[in-house]
Amino acid sequence: MSKYKIGLFGFGCVGQGLYKTLSENNADAEIVKVCVKNKEKKRSIEAEKITYDAAEILNNEDINIIVELIDDAKAALEIVRAALKKGKAVVSANKKMVAENLDELIALQKQYETPLLYEGAVCGSIPIIRNLEDYYASEQIEEIKGIFNGSSNYILTKLFQEGKSYEEALGEAQANGFAETDPTLDVGGFDPKFKLSIILQHTFGIRQHPENIFNWGIQNISEKDIAFAKERNLKIKLLAKAHFDGKVLSTLVAPHFIDEQNPLYHVENEFNCVLINGKYASNQTLIGKGAGSLPTGLAVLSDVIALTQGYTYRYKSADFTSGGSQAVEVYLSFNDIEDIDKNAFTSISESYIGSDYGYIIGKIELEALQQLLNGSSGVNVVFTSGKQTEIEIPNLTYSYAN
Amino acid sequence: MSKYKIGLFGFGCVGQGLYKTLSENNADAEIVKVCVKNKEKKRSIEAEKITYDAAEILNNEDINIIVELIDDAKAALEIVRAALKKGKAVVSANKKMVAENLDELIALQKQYETPLLYEGAVCGSIPIIRNLEDYYASEQIEEIKGIFNGSSNYILTKLFQEGKSYEEALGEAQANGFAETDPTLDVGGFDPKFKLSIILQHTFGIRQHPENIFNWGIQNISEKDIAFAKERNLKIKLLAKAHFDGKVLSTLVAPHFIDEQNPLYHVENEFNCVLINGKYASNQTLIGKGAGSLPTGLAVLSDVIALTQGYTYRYKSADFTSGGSQAVEVYLSFNDIEDIDKNAFTSISESYIGSDYGYIIGKIELEALQQLLNGSSGVNVVFTSGKQTEIEIPNLTYSYAN
């Protein structure tokens, strides 16, 4: 009999991944009960382990670890709250739930002296949260960024490598289990924003609610945008970025042009990549699968094992001011120039206007860009940064967050 | 006053890196004494902290952490032994000392219940040992390999990118503090072998003494070898590799041809890269600076902080048989075909014989290759594997360790 008894919520892609990886490990932990919603679905676990009643797990005093792997962020929060209040250690892979409620979750952990771990919520198989908490705690990190969404990266790879249509590529990503139930979270750039919000806490000790992070996704990328990138030997990658100079924090999630010299150029399909830039070790790169049953299952399992070893997050904290006036340089494409308020740009270095497609490359404040995007239809934006340093596209140099 | 008082041995490149990173962190540890050898050298630390007598540190009961950062592996072992026997926790960055004496060091840790950590000994700033101990402990790793020597990689980068001579490139690496005092350890492929030996212990729970690992370095690479690679759009990288199928272990250190599709192709200068291939998460990549004062200083500091938090290695163990009969496919170049025993090859797919340069591409058993290299002069060998999967050069497919 194991010392650690797990009550599992959700038996989808990641839940099954945990089940398999745990069954093949000799961890001092076993899944004793699994709570699922759908009574019709056939399950590959013993019937006596299945329950449809959350209370049956939460009120079971033998269960000392709750693993929460359901899609619904609201229901997940209820489960995690209840578990922590009962003194049960918790593992979650729900990035939306964690990112939106981190203040409360930190307070609950403190009040009930019960840990919550969520490695599986951030970049799938990449052990980023624990490395930030432990190894990089002594590093003076200035920038952290990367490809945080496997589903979008899979779609972009198919668009660029195989010339597939957006719809085809999205369908494939979903069929392969790389996309969340609601694809908007992935392709709209919300999912990487949740992850960035969580990462900020562990990198800089800064709490920033995801709703305060700019995001633009990949769902508006047109064939013309792809052609523009290909002509210049660039790819488009959806990046999440955070820069902190010790005082001012700049964050954003947006598609970026990336050139061949950039390590991110070579990160394809469902792979994620985290780039850490610090004062001592300069550039550190971590690449791994950002989605999928077993990769994310492994991350969840590593949290379970960490709990059995008494591991908890430390949650350092820092003062900061949010960088309200980020100047960025972007390629903005549109169907009709009449829809675009050109005055929103502080400078324009290049523009093209055709009958049903045009673009402007120029500098703009992030807030002005947000307003422009909100007020226009048929537009898309790609940021022109790519390299660790700077990338030039004709007549244009972009430097990030200054 | 800090709870943890450090006695530091050695104040070279890495020692100074530790001093700086520690002084800028609010760790509960301070360096109270530094033992150095050379009385003539000017030091950038307070005179009263300096001693030339090891016993002054080892017998100081206030000192509870010993950090050993000297070049001499034999002297380093004496210090670490003495410290562990006195119950002082130890951090070392001496890969040769750790790799050659790991059995004894594990036994001493057990007997005296005192931890030894050595993240800084393996791949500089990359947090590989702790990730193997913690996160990847639940992964079923099949292969681990990569670029483990910053100095060699720096030299190879200069040879390929800037067309420098071998001597020029080596001089630059030494001037930049990327090469050890004795360059043979780096360029002869010994240093990556020490690291591979240590990694084997933490990846598979397997103890293999470095002297049982095949190694061939980069010091014999000729302009002709470089031209051969460049004509085929390949680079040469010095790789360390280990494959374990649960029973048979295969290991080697050797230069390899690498094509553009391989992530290792883009790892340049003093950067190191570790590729982990596991059953659950498939490919994981970690890239960071493999040498240098602050990058390695950071790794040592992370060990010091880990000690203050009660961290120790767990040292799992596994049964295995060493794979004595590895068949490899290599490019062997020579000045004079008369020096080469062609019968050592089990098959030859391509050969070229000129007046003062020639090569054979063929299959050979690793032991036969070792004998051939031992018995010949003016030869060089480059392994033809490169990709995660397989790479083809004309008429040739290489698959690793079968």
Side-chain angles (χ1 to χ4, degrees):
Chain A
M1 293 292 282
S2 308
K3 189 174 159 200
Y4 292 91
K5 304 210 184 311
I6 298 170
L8 173 62
F9 286 85
F11 202 68
C13 176
V14 180
Q16 292 169 51
L18 171 67
Y19 196 82
K20 180 175 163 63
T21 54
L22 182 62
S23 72
E24 292 175 359
N25 264 274
N26 54 358
D28 188 18
E30 61 179 320
I31 295 169
V32 296
K33 214 80 190 173
V34 183
C35 180
V36 293
K37 207 166 67 178
N38 189 336
K39 295 190 186 184
E40 309 306 317
K41 238 188 214 163
K42 270 212 148 180
R43 310 282 176 180
S44 57
I45 31 169
E46 306 93 303
E48 68 270 21
K49 284 198 176 167
I50 293 178
T51 177
Y52 304 98
D53 178 14
E56 205 182 311
I57 288 180
L58 293 167
N59 294 333
N60 182 334
E61 297 205 347
D62 285 347
I63 290 175
N64 40 20
I65 293 180
I66 299 294
V67 179
E68 176 286 299
L69 300 173
I70 64 175
D71 262 351
D72 179 344
K74 223 173 152 181
L77 179 62
E78 294 302 322
I79 292 163
V80 173
R81 257 189 204 139
L84 290 174
K85 287 182 182 174
K86 283 179 182 290
K88 295 184 197 295
V90 181
V91 175
S92 171
N94 196 310
K95 47 225 77 168
K96 185 173 195 292
M97 185 276 289
V98 174
E100 290 182 340
N101 303 285
L102 198 45
D103 285 324
E104 179 186 346
L105 295 171
I106 294 172
L108 283 172
Q109 288 179 76
K110 211 174 163 188
Q111 188 182 347
Y112 294 94
E113 291 177 1
T114 310
L116 164 68
L117 304 180
Y118 38 78
E119 189 67 77
V122 184
C123 299
S125 65
I126 300 176
I128 182 61
I129 301 296
R130 281 197 74 172
N131 274 304
L132 289 170
E133 277 284 310
D134 301 331
Y135 185 80
Y136 294 111
S138 344
E139 174 64 296
Q140 315 272 334
I141 297 175
E142 287 150 9
E143 187 175 56
I144 186 162
K145 65 182 175 188
I147 295 169
F148 291 2
N149 183 262
S151 169
S152 295
N153 204 43
Y154 184 90
I155 292 168
L156 288 169
T157 302
K158 297 292 159 193
L159 294 182
F160 272 78
Q161 277 187 0
E162 297 174 22
K164 294 220 160 118
S165 76
Y166 177 81
E167 285 70 25
E168 259 182 302
L170 172 62
E172 259 188 53
Q174 286 176 315
N176 285 315
F178 302 145
E180 305 285 324
T181 311
D182 176 5
T184 316
L185 290 183
D186 291 314
V187 298
F190 294 92
D191 170 274
K193 180 161 104 145
F194 299 143
K195 292 166 180 166
L196 186 64
S197 167
I198 297 170
I199 277 180
L200 288 175
Q201 182 72 53
H202 295 277
T203 309
F204 303 120
I206 285 175
R207 170 72 184 134
Q208 193 177 51
H209 196 284
E211 73 191 9
N212 297 322
I213 299 174
F214 172 92
N215 69 299
W216 185 257
I218 62 164
Q219 75 273 56
N220 284 23
I221 287 179
S222 69
E223 283 172 32
K224 295 281 173 66
D225 299 329
I226 293 171
F228 177 94
K230 282 189 169 175
E231 272 169 29
R232 286 153 186 82
N233 294 315
L234 302 169
K235 287 181 186 170
I236 296 174
K237 294 285 184 189
L238 182 61
L239 302 193
K241 281 178 153 189
H243 184 276
F244 184 51
D245 66 4
K247 283 184 190 159
V248 179
L249 174 75
S250 317
T251 55
L252 57 83
V253 171
H256 284 65
F257 290 122
I258 301 284
D259 75 5
E260 217 185 331
Q261 299 307 311
N262 190 318
L264 295 167
Y265 187 92
H266 308 279
V267 177
E268 301 282 33
N269 294 310
E270 77 270 30
F271 278 86
N272 279 195
C273 177
V274 184
L275 297 174
I276 298 168
N277 201 315
K279 185 177 168 187
Y280 305 134
S282 78
N283 297 318
Q284 299 265 310
T285 309
L286 293 93
I287 304 169
K289 286 196 174 176
S293 175
L294 294 175
T296 311
L298 173 67
V300 173
L301 174 61
S302 84
D303 275 352
V304 168
I305 291 174
L307 284 179
T308 70
Q309 292 163 348
Y311 185 80
T312 59
Y313 296 146
R314 281 180 209 99
Y315 294 113
K316 61 183 173 186
S317 67
D319 288 329
F320 76 106
T321 47
S322 192
S325 61
Q326 277 189 73
V328 293
E329 219 144 10
V330 300
Y331 153 100
L332 181 89
S333 67
F334 42 80
N335 297 331
D336 188 350
I337 183 68
E338 296 301 321
D339 287 341
I340 307 302
D341 174 15
K342 281 189 286 186
N343 294 325
F345 286 86
T346 54
S347 71
I348 292 177
S349 58
E350 190 181 327
S351 68
Y352 165 82
I353 297 166
S355 59
D356 61 349
Y357 159 74
Y359 66 81
I360 290 170
I361 298 175
K363 284 195 177 182
I364 190 167
E365 298 281 316
L366 201 54
E367 285 181 7
L369 176 63
Q370 182 74 71
Q371 279 175 18
L372 194 155
L373 293 169
N374 290 347
S376 316
S377 65
V379 296
N380 185 39
V381 67
V382 183
F383 286 49
T384 62
S385 134
K387 291 219 289 188
Q388 227 69 349
T389 51
E390 289 186 335
I391 133 170
E392 279 188 57
I393 58 176
N395 301 317
L396 178 73
T397 311
Y398 170 73
S399 71
Y400 173 59
N402 59 1
Chain B
M1 293 293 279
S2 308
K3 190 175 159 200
Y4 291 91
K5 304 210 185 310
I6 299 170
L8 173 62
F9 286 86
F11 202 68
C13 175
V14 180
Q16 292 168 50
L18 172 67
Y19 197 81
K20 181 174 163 64
T21 54
L22 182 62
S23 71
E24 293 175 0
N25 263 272
N26 54 358
D28 188 20
E30 59 180 320
I31 295 170
V32 297
K33 214 80 188 171
V34 183
C35 181
V36 292
K37 207 166 66 177
N38 189 336
K39 294 189 186 183
E40 309 305 316
K41 237 186 215 167
K42 272 212 146 180
R43 310 282 176 181
S44 57
I45 31 171
E46 306 92 305
E48 69 268 23
K49 285 197 175 168
I50 293 178
T51 179
Y52 305 97
D53 177 14
E56 204 182 312
I57 287 179
L58 292 168
N59 294 332
N60 183 336
E61 295 203 349
D62 285 347
I63 290 174
N64 41 20
I65 294 180
I66 300 293
V67 179
E68 178 285 300
L69 300 174
I70 64 176
D71 262 352
D72 179 343
K74 224 170 149 183
L77 179 62
E78 294 302 323
I79 292 163
V80 172
R81 258 190 204 139
L84 290 174
K85 286 181 182 173
K86 284 179 181 290
K88 295 184 197 298
V90 181
V91 175
S92 172
N94 196 311
K95 49 223 75 166
K96 185 172 193 293
M97 185 275 291
V98 174
E100 290 182 340
N101 303 284
L102 198 46
D103 285 324
E104 180 187 343
L105 294 172
I106 294 172
L108 283 172
Q109 289 179 74
K110 210 175 163 185
Q111 187 181 347
Y112 294 94
E113 293 177 359
T114 310
L116 164 68
L117 304 180
Y118 37 79
E119 188 66 78
V122 184
C123 298
S125 65
I126 300 176
I128 182 62
I129 302 296
R130 281 198 72 174
N131 274 303
L132 289 171
E133 276 285 310
D134 301 330
Y135 185 79
Y136 294 111
S138 346
E139 174 64 294
Q140 315 270 336
I141 297 175
E142 287 151 9
E143 187 177 54
I144 185 160
K145 65 181 175 188
I147 295 170
F148 290 3
N149 183 260
S151 170
S152 296
N153 203 43
Y154 184 90
I155 293 168
L156 288 170
T157 302
K158 298 290 158 193
L159 294 183
F160 272 78
Q161 275 188 1
E162 297 173 23
K164 293 220 160 117
S165 75
Y166 177 80
E167 286 69 26
E168 260 183 302
L170 172 62
E172 257 188 56
Q174 286 175 316
N176 285 315
F178 302 145
E180 305 286 322
T181 311
D182 176 5
T184 317
L185 290 183
D186 290 315
V187 298
F190 295 91
D191 170 275
K193 179 161 107 146
F194 300 142
K195 292 166 181 167
L196 186 64
S197 167
I198 299 171
I199 276 181
L200 288 175
Q201 183 73 52
H202 295 276
T203 308
F204 304 120
I206 285 175
R207 171 72 184 133
Q208 194 176 52
H209 196 285
E211 72 190 11
N212 297 322
I213 299 175
F214 172 92
N215 69 297
W216 185 257
I218 62 163
Q219 76 273 56
N220 285 25
I221 286 178
S222 69
E223 282 172 32
K224 295 279 172 69
D225 298 331
I226 292 170
F228 177 94
K230 280 188 170 174
E231 271 167 28
R232 287 153 186 81
N233 294 315
L234 302 169
K235 287 182 186 169
I236 296 174
K237 295 285 184 189
L238 182 61
L239 302 194
K241 280 178 156 189
H243 184 275
F244 184 51
D245 66 3
K247 281 185 191 158
V248 179
L249 174 75
S250 318
T251 56
L252 58 83
V253 171
H256 283 67
F257 291 123
I258 301 283
D259 73 6
E260 217 186 330
Q261 300 306 310
N262 191 316
L264 296 167
Y265 188 92
H266 308 280
V267 177
E268 300 282 33
N269 295 310
E270 77 270 30
F271 279 85
N272 279 195
C273 176
V274 184
L275 298 174
I276 298 168
N277 201 314
K279 185 177 167 188
Y280 305 135
S282 78
N283 298 318
Q284 300 264 310
T285 310
L286 292 92
I287 304 168
K289 287 197 174 176
S293 175
L294 294 175
T296 312
L298 173 67
V300 174
L301 174 60
S302 84
D303 274 353
V304 169
I305 292 175
L307 284 180
T308 70
Q309 291 162 349
Y311 184 80
T312 60
Y313 297 145
R314 281 181 209 97
Y315 293 114
K316 61 181 173 187
S317 67
D319 288 329
F320 75 106
T321 47
S322 193
S325 60
Q326 278 190 73
V328 293
E329 220 145 9
V330 301
Y331 153 100
L332 181 89
S333 66
F334 42 79
N335 298 330
D336 187 351
I337 183 69
E338 296 301 321
D339 288 340
I340 306 302
D341 173 16
K342 281 189 287 187
N343 294 325
F345 286 85
T346 54
S347 70
I348 291 179
S349 57
E350 190 181 327
S351 67
Y352 165 82
I353 298 166
S355 60
D356 62 349
Y357 160 74
Y359 66 81
I360 290 171
I361 298 176
K363 283 196 180 183
I364 189 166
E365 297 280 315
L366 201 55
E367 285 180 8
L369 176 64
Q370 182 74 71
Q371 280 176 18
L372 194 155
L373 292 169
N374 290 346
S376 318
S377 65
V379 297
N380 185 40
V381 67
V382 183
F383 284 49
T384 61
S385 134
K387 290 221 289 191
Q388 226 69 349
T389 50
E390 289 185 333
I391 132 169
E392 280 189 58
I393 59 178
N395 300 319
L396 178 73
T397 310
Y398 170 71
S399 72
Y400 173 61
N402 58 2

